[in-house]
Amino acid sequence: METHTSARFSSRGLLPYLVLLTCTFGLTACSKPQTDSTQASSTDTQITLPNVSTRELIEVPEYQHTQNFTGTVRAGNTTGLAFELAGKLSSLSADSGDRVKKGQVLATLDTSLLEAELKEINASLAQNQADLALAERTLVRSEELNKQSYVSAQQLDELIGQKQSLLAARQRLLATKSATELRLQKSTLIAPFSATLSNRKHNLGEVLPQGSPVFTLVEENNPKAYIGVPVDVARKLQVNQSLPLRVGEQTFDAKIEGISAEVNPVTRTVEMRLSLPRDARVFNGELAYLSYQQTIANSGFWVPVSALTDGVRGRWNIYVLDKRNDGVYVERRDVEILYTDKKQAFLQGALSPGERYVTQGLHKLVAGQKINPVNPVAVR
């Protein structure tokens, strides 16, 4: 009786351990599918490929090469206007920024001394005229008396000489009068052409030295552009040829008026003179930009600047698509840039027409990387 009771007790004591062991195996079995799901998710993340924008390479036999050259705008005539004589500045009838017309009086010198000198000359001329009239009357009478032998030949010769001397003195006085009148005329400063006064350099009451500019005149309605170009470009241009010229935000159709016959020893360029439209609103000294376009017969490919990346030893590279059995990869190619503008570059290199290349986002890629082209490429 006691033995039976002991065996039953042992069975009851093992039951909790059997339940615990069964649950442990169950939990282990339940947790295994979760681990497989995590690994699958991780595998899916690793095979995600970057989307890359691509474009086809198209070869062209030539390209347009635009060159820009810089020069300055100058009026047809820019003159420092000065008196030819020294003197005191007595009046100013114009100032900086004024527009003046040809023949307009701009300033005058004090002419008091010249006017006094002119009066003195006129008085001397009057005296000479009186002396000459008397000498002529005396000579006429003496010639009549000479016929009657009342006047010697010596006296007659002296009277003739006196008259000639008075005539010569009159010519000298007339020349002096003309010189004084010319100096009076040149004491008035007159605009030689219609212009704008860019600045005034002297004030009223100043004693001006001879030739010292009072005004700087900039001619109106006659703007010119002076631009230096390389010798090879100058040889291709001709007088009267029209070229686009930019001044500030304005673009003009400028005409070549002249091409220099010598090379500037400093800039090694040939200077050209171009005329702008007469109504062009430009300022003296503004920068002018000449655009010259020529066709270069050299085959190559146009690509956007965003498709270029730095290579080794100063080379430039682009990424070309490499189609393989298991997908599309990027391959780095060396290229040579022949010409570039702000948006595109014309290049040559180990490229073939019809190949596709990456157009942007090259900083996110490395050579040999597998990608997903936005524009699909058939895989062999």
Side-chain angles (χ1 to χ4, degrees), residues 23-311:
C23 291
T24 301
F25 281 113
L27 290 173
T28 304
C30 292
S31 63
K32 186 174 182 179
Q34 184 176 357
T35 302
D36 294 341
S37 175
T38 303
Q39 291 176 351
S41 176
S42 176
T43 303
D44 292 342
T45 303
Q46 290 174 0
I47 64 174
T48 300
L49 302 178
N51 294 327
V52 175
S53 176
T54 66
R55 190 178 298 173
E56 182 181 352
L57 284 169
I58 301 175
E59 187 174 21
V60 293
E62 60 187 24
Y63 65 96
Q64 297 295 323
H65 184 194
T66 301
Q67 294 175 279
N68 294 309
F69 307 105
T70 305
T72 56
V73 173
R74 297 201 296 270
N77 288 295
T78 302
T79 305
L81 198 60
F83 289 103
E84 296 181 36
L85 307 173
K88 184 171 71 174
L89 190 60
S90 65
S91 71
L92 286 168
S93 55
D95 207 340
S96 300
D98 291 349
R99 292 183 176 180
V100 297
K101 295 183 178 181
K102 181 179 179 180
Q104 181 176 334
V105 175
L106 304 180
T108 59
L109 294 176
D110 184 4
T111 58
S112 301
L113 292 177
L114 292 175
E115 290 171 355
E117 183 178 334
L118 185 60
K119 290 180 180 180
E120 184 180 354
I121 293 171
N122 286 331
S124 297
L125 279 171
Q127 179 65 47
N128 175 268
Q129 182 64 34
D131 292 342
L132 185 59
L134 177 60
E136 287 178 345
R137 290 195 298 269
T138 302
L139 181 59
V140 170
R141 286 194 297 267
S142 296
E143 287 175 344
E144 293 294 329
L145 291 173
N146 182 48
K147 294 176 182 179
Q148 301 175 13
S149 301
Y150 290 121
V151 175
S152 64
Q154 176 65 30
Q155 290 176 323
L156 191 61
D157 288 343
E158 289 178 354
L159 289 173
I160 293 174
Q162 183 180 5
K163 179 183 176 181
Q164 296 297 327
S165 177
L166 288 171
L167 287 173
R170 179 176 179 81
Q171 293 299 318
R172 184 174 62 253
L173 288 171
L174 288 174
T176 303
K177 180 180 179 181
S178 296
T180 302
E181 288 175 343
L182 184 59
R183 283 190 287 170
L184 280 169
Q185 180 182 343
K186 290 183 178 296
S187 295
T188 300
L189 201 59
I190 296 176
F193 47 80
S194 297
T196 300
L197 303 183
S198 64
N199 59 58
R200 175 170 60 88
K201 300 181 179 179
H202 291 286
N203 298 312
L204 285 175
E206 288 188 45
V207 177
L208 309 181
Q210 182 179 0
S212 178
V214 180
F215 300 103
T216 298
L217 272 69
V218 178
E219 186 179 14
E220 288 187 329
N221 302 324
N222 189 22
K224 311 287 182 184
Y226 295 84
I227 296 179
V229 298
V231 175
D232 60 334
V233 173
R235 288 195 180 101
K236 299 175 183 177
L237 299 174
Q238 297 179 347
V239 175
N240 293 327
Q241 181 177 347
S242 295
L243 295 172
L245 190 75
R246 182 173 61 85
V247 181
E249 299 299 325
Q250 306 175 82
T251 301
F252 304 101
D253 189 24
K255 183 179 291 185
I256 300 176
E257 286 192 346
I259 301 174
S260 177
E262 63 180 359
V263 176
N264 186 301
V266 178
T267 63
R268 307 306 302 171
T269 59
V270 178
E271 187 177 68
M272 295 194 310
R273 185 181 75 256
L274 299 97
S275 62
L276 278 69
R278 298 188 69 85
D279 59 349
R281 295 187 60 81
V282 294
F283 292 95
N284 212 36
E286 272 194 279
L287 290 178
Y289 302 93
L290 173 67
S291 293
Y292 175 68
Q293 190 176 75
Q294 55 183 328
T295 301
I296 307 298
N298 203 344
S299 61
F301 305 89
W302 284 105
V303 301
V305 173
S306 60
L308 296 169
T309 184
D310 294 337

